[in-house]
Amino acid sequence: MLALQQGPYTSYGTCGDSLNLMSETWHGLEHIFSIHGPHPLSTSPAIQGRYHYVGPRHSLQLLNHHPVDLLLIECGRWQCPRPPLDGQRWELMIHATALDSRPKTVIEIWPPNSLLWELGPSGKASRVRWESLGYTSKMKVIDPQHCGGAIVQPRAIIVRHSLDNWVWAPYLSAARPMQNLLIPKGLRPRRKPVQPPSSDLPSFDRDPMPGKPSAWIVDVDGPRQLFPTETAKALGAPKSLLNSQDHLTPKLLSNSSSIFHFEYLSQCFLLQLSEHQLVAPTSAIDAAPSLDSPADEEVFPEWRPPDMSPGGAWHTARLERLRFACSHYDNSDELFQQGLDLLAIHRQNYDDTGPAPKRLQLLWWEFPQSSWDDVRLGGSMNFLTKPRHQILPNASMNADELKVAEEFVDELIALGVLRPPTDPHGDPVDIVTNAPLFTVPKPGQPGQYRCIANMLKGGQNESVGSDPVILPRASHIIDEMYYGGFSAVYDFSKYFYNFPTRAEDRPYLGLLHPVTLEMFAYYGLPMGGSNSPGVACRGGEASRTTAATTLARDMDITSPITKVSWSNCGALSMTSSSTLPIGGSLHLARMFFLDVACQFGFLCHPTKCPPPGQQVKFIGFEFDTRLFPTLRIPLAKRERSLAVVEYLLASPSSQLFSRLSLAVSTGILQSLVDGTPNRLGNTYLRAQYDDLHPPGAPLGLAAYCTKTTISPAARKELRWWESFLKSTRGRPSRMLRSATLVPNWGDGSGTGTGGTLGLPDRPLKMWQGQWSPVVYRFSSNWKELKTLHLTLLHIRDTDCASVRATTVFYFTDNSTTYWIGQSGSSSVPALHSLISSIKLLELELGCHLQVIHVPGVVMILQGSDALSRGVWITPFQDTMDQRALTAAVFAPLCPDHSLIQHFISQFQLPLDYFLQEWDTEWLATPLLDTFSVWFPPPELARQAIVFMLSAWVQGPRTSSALFFVPRVVPGFWFGLSRHIRELALFQPRDFPLASQPVLPIPTIVLYLAPHMFPPFR
């Protein structure tokens, strides 16, 4: 029971048709009001608060009249309601309440399957609505059988709190049988006999009571149904309510949460006491890593736009750059005068405090020279065929949608994005094709809609050849961050609309005003055009390259910004070296980027650009650089995912779920895979996908309308997810001792297995074994993968501490082991079971496992091939030095002109090339409009390709690259871009190279070709 004299709460109110059993345990809190439906027990003093209201349409001013610290909502029997766009009734009540009268915490109690509802209380729409009210959402599934109760009644408890100190209390109580809660045989009311179900029933002396009223159980006299009084007693109802058996309806009992739920919440309240009484969190999910913050952090002035008045330094610099750019054109005087007009428009978009847009305008001459025409004349939509000539009406809209659409279009007209189409002489131009406007609701923003130009229905997109788009990935960004570094994210407003369209494309880019029906043309990139992302990506990468280069050259700071990533939605993230101080230099770097945004013409308001820090949220993850850069899953996502997993695991093995619900849960977990160590989460989704798509299942929507149970294999995977989500581990970019390499070799032959362990500060250890006869029939792939498993077991049993936080290399000549080790899963059940065990061992050892493929002849030279056949390695054998062998595996191929010329001739590549040395500084400018050739070492190849892609996208039609990489790292180029092509796989010894590699490792040739379109038809 909760009896606190002081603490975060002193009063509470309740809403919902229930027994209000919290009053039996929250004796220290005053029950101010209760809201009930019109049921007979609503007048009972055990249920009522000081003020009692009947009916669902309670006054929205209720909290202003009767403020409470805690508002409790019971929705235990709700079944997938479609919430109003503006939220539930209690949300509207809080919205109408003065800030000083709002509850500190709102607790909603829902059925656990609500976690799988598309628009449920745990969904993003609901969380966003509550965040706008100043509340953070936390959620957990609580079952009273684990909190001292003898009833099975899982509930999803959604806590909306404004105190920002909510902690889930631990619970360790074992389930109790229902025996003492049942009515003795002689005292039971008489009932008409009913045929019991044939399924297994819970036993009175072994199992807790089912939470469903009138559920079937087996007692000493055989099967029977529960009585309402027995269910109420198990819930913890007082005797005054137990005597009203006729009024204990199934609806009331189903909606009432047990007293054990409220006792558990009482323990959570105790963890919210004042600071001198606060109990340390005991739940792993709340024990986030804590590091000391920098002391005495300096406060710097906010960014203000530079003085743009004529004659000032900023204005003079823009004119000098304009003259330089115009000098490259024949009509330089005309372009200069036009540039002056554009500069005048640009200056009006800023006031003394920041961006105040009046008419969007980029300054084309501030971009790199390769982008001048794109920004000056507009980005082409790449129409390969002429779009159909058709004028289509906008989609049907209701009054609210029409109002939003009108405001949206009027804003674009005011900003110059939409204009009446004219030719260069100012004469009107006819629009022959338009894009119908339609709206979609914004999740979590009542009454707000997104307005989209439907260029699919308008026919424009089917005629467009899209330019390539390179989006930053979490794994690419985290790899470029630094130990103890700082990062920042900048949000550019109206990003797409800043980039102009080409004049010849505008007759096909029409838009009807939703109210006046006046026709306009898109003068800025339309949202909905299939080539808009490509044009925006090209311009954004060009400006990013300029910004990063200028910062490194001109800024007098301790260490320059070394990585800038740009997404096509207008968000830019920068990361800095750990030597960059948190003070003046970091502040200067932030100011610089805001100055650069102003210089190009982008709108980047300082209020939307938080100062750099060591924990930054970007693209759905948290980038943590307080120690080694680590990709973490935000707490809200972890809690929701954990609640879903716990609900699925708590369900009976025979319970049927719709495949649509399981698709939601699997999708939630799939979105977290990048935040798991070594993307280990991907391994633990295979069985869940098998449940969703069994062999022979129908395709399309029909498959998701069927039901299935959760298989034992899927439950095993869910237990791994439960363990991971309860921890705060993320995905580190590299191990703490990443420079410590642990080379291990293994080979599994038909009759035996063996290998070597190269543990740090230990002599080479050999091991071997013979397969049991039962293994003889297993495939060679299973034996090779099992050898990897045995190698990790040997490491664990020999010296597991020596490999913690290191990179463990495993060399194999089996390509299946190579690929399965990279993907973490296999479609063959036996192999998938093995790789699951291997990944768990990797997690237990705390290392990063990297599987390396080498030819069989290298395995013979090393000696593991002989070990698998029972022959120990001796000094008399012709084997290589182990250290030299490991170095040779990771050595790059030496650049060779004759080799390059061979592939140039074979594939008809450009004759002139630029050789980019991997161990020198990489710059984007020399790679533009050039055919470059790379010979990177295997471990740097992926990073080299990512860098080349970011440069290539700025000039994809005139830039290309060729990569020669020893094939030892599995599929390092997979998933980077569909424009990366594998040309050949060859043995270097088949060519007369000037410098042959030490080992006969095959080399793969990858080609990034110029992006081409067929001619316009």
Side-chain angles (χ1 to χ4, degrees), residues 159 223 309 527 704 932 940 984 1009:
V159 176
S309 57
M527 293 288 287
Y704 295 101
S932 57
L940 286 181

Side-chain angles (χ1 to χ4, degrees), residues 572-861:
L572 176 144
S573 75
M574 72 173 187
T575 64
S576 71
S577 162
S578 59
T579 60
L580 186 62
I582 195 171
S585 296
L586 194 60
H587 170 71
L588 290 176
R590 176 174 181 262
M591 294 298 190
F592 170 82
F593 271 99
L594 293 171
D595 285 341
V596 167
C598 176
Q599 175 180 323
F600 284 115
F602 293 116
L603 304 176
C604 187
H605 205 284
T607 58
K608 293 186 177 181
C609 304
Q614 293 181 304
Q615 289 176 285
V616 174
K617 287 186 177 180
F618 188 56
I619 56 177
F621 289 97
E622 183 180 284
F623 294 81
D624 186 351
T625 56
R626 293 175 294 178
L627 292 176
F628 269 103
T630 302
L631 195 65
R632 300 191 189 278
I633 302 168
L635 182 60
K637 282 189 174 182
R638 272 196 293 134
E639 284 204 334
R640 186 196 182 196
S641 304
L642 180 60
V644 169
V645 169
E646 289 180 334
Y647 162 61
L648 295 176
L649 286 175
S651 64
S653 59
S654 59
Q655 182 171 338
L656 293 174
F657 292 89
S658 72
R659 285 192 165 87
L660 183 60
S661 295
L662 294 182
V664 171
S665 66
T666 305
I668 291 173
L669 298 180
Q670 181 68 63
S671 69
L672 308 181
V673 165
D674 277 343
T676 60
N678 307 328
R679 301 190 82 250
L680 187 56
N682 197 50
T683 303
Y684 292 94
L685 289 174
R686 166 69 68 175
Q688 297 176 63
Y689 280 115
D690 290 342
D691 287 351
L692 285 177
H693 308 288
L699 301 177
L701 180 61
Y704 295 101
C705 296
T706 60
K707 292 189 176 183
T708 183
T709 59
I710 301 176
S711 66
R715 287 182 180 272
K716 182 179 179 181
E717 292 179 346
L718 289 171
R719 290 189 191 96
W720 180 88
W721 277 102
E722 180 184 33
S723 174
F724 168 73
L725 293 169
K726 285 183 177 178
S727 74
T728 56
R729 289 172 300 195
R731 177 189 177 185
S733 61
R734 60 192 69 87
M735 290 295 168
L736 185 63
R737 299 163 58 204
S738 56
T740 302
L741 306 184
V742 186
N744 304 277
W745 298 71
D747 186 54
S749 65
T751 58
T753 180
T756 61
L757 308 180
L759 300 179
D761 302 322
R762 282 176 171 265
L764 186 71
K765 179 181 178 179
M766 297 177 286
W767 66 274
Q768 62 173 253
Q770 187 175 1
W771 297 121
S772 169
V774 73
V775 178
Y776 288 168
R777 62 183 179 86
F778 287 16
S779 69
S780 60
N781 291 332
W782 185 92
K783 294 173 183 176
E784 292 281 6
L785 194 60
K786 183 63 178 178
T787 302
L788 170 56
H789 184 226
L790 292 172
T791 298
L792 294 181
L793 289 175
H794 277 292
I795 292 175
R796 185 190 67 181
D797 298 339
T798 303
D799 187 3
C800 61
S802 66
V803 301
R804 188 166 299 279
T806 67
T807 302
V808 174
F809 290 99
Y810 178 78
F811 300 92
T812 178
D813 60 355
N814 179 261
S815 60
T816 299
T817 300
Y818 167 81
W819 289 113
I820 293 178
Q822 183 265 344
S823 65
S825 64
S826 172
S827 58
V828 180
L831 298 182
H832 185 78
S833 177
L834 266 180
I835 192 61
S836 298
S837 300
I838 289 168
K839 289 296 184 180
L840 283 177
L841 267 175
E842 179 185 6
L843 202 60
E844 180 184 345
L845 293 171
C847 64
H848 172 57
L849 176 66
Q850 182 70 65
V851 180
I852 304 296
H853 183 264
V854 295
V857 65
V858 177
M859 195 68 67
I860 294 173
L861 289 173

Side-chain angles (χ1 to χ4, degrees), residues 421-422 427-433 506-508 519:
T422 59
D427 297 326
V429 174
D430 292 334
I431 296 292
V432 297
T433 305
R506 290 170 191 154
Y508 308 108
M519 183 67 76

Side-chain angles (χ1 to χ4, degrees), residues 382-464:
N382 294 336
F383 287 120
L384 304 183
T385 60
K386 290 184 178 180
R388 299 189 302 269
H389 288 202
Q390 56 181 2
I391 302 299
L392 301 176
N394 294 326
S396 177
M397 306 179 195
N398 60 33
D400 292 338
E401 293 172 325
L402 193 62
K403 180 181 179 182
V404 171
E406 180 184 16
E407 294 173 352
F408 168 78
V409 172
D410 287 344
E411 181 187 14
L412 294 187
I413 294 172
L415 292 174
V417 177
L418 292 175
R419 309 180 201 173
T422 59
D423 61 18
H425 304 291
D427 297 326
V429 174
D430 292 334
I431 296 292
V432 297
T433 305
N434 74 314
L437 193 68
F438 71 101
T439 62
V440 293
K442 290 185 178 181
Q445 302 182 47
Q448 297 297 313
Y449 300 88
R450 296 188 188 278
C451 300
I452 303 174
N454 193 343
M455 292 197 166
L456 180 63
K457 185 176 180 180
Q460 293 92 338
N461 285 348
E462 67 183 20
S463 303
V464 166

